[in-house]
Amino acid sequence: LNISRPSGMELLRSLRKSFPEIRAIVFLSPSQADLKPQAASLGAEAFFESPFEPEALVRDVERLMGE
């Protein structure tokens, strides 16, 4: 979630406000791990830190689409 304007957290907050049904997966660098609780409180349902296994991403996307 390292983008300039809006910040990743601002974007997530705005998306969840406008589209409460949206499912969110958040990608973090290892130095951003402390943002996980904040992202979870904004509705993020899955988290990945770099580097991550592509298979794990596919599993979480499938899980979120199936719920």
Side-chain angles (χ1 to χ4, degrees):
L1 287 177
N2 190 13
I3 58 176
S4 58
R5 292 275 170 178
S7 74
M9 290 300 168
E10 290 168 340
L11 178 60
L12 180 57
R13 183 179 293 110
S14 177
L15 284 171
R16 294 286 295 166
K17 185 176 181 180
S18 298
F19 307 98
E21 72 283 357
I22 199 167
R23 312 302 292 269
I25 297 174
V26 173
F27 296 85
L28 302 164
S29 70
S31 66
Q32 295 175 309
D34 60 322
L35 295 176
K36 226 182 249 191
Q38 182 182 359
S41 74
L42 294 172
E45 299 181 58
F47 304 89
F48 289 91
E49 284 185 33
S50 298
F52 63 89
E53 295 293 326
E55 296 82 11
L57 174 61
V58 170
R59 279 193 305 272
D60 271 357
V61 168
E62 289 173 344
R63 176 181 61 84
L64 292 175
M65 290 179 67
E67 290 181 358

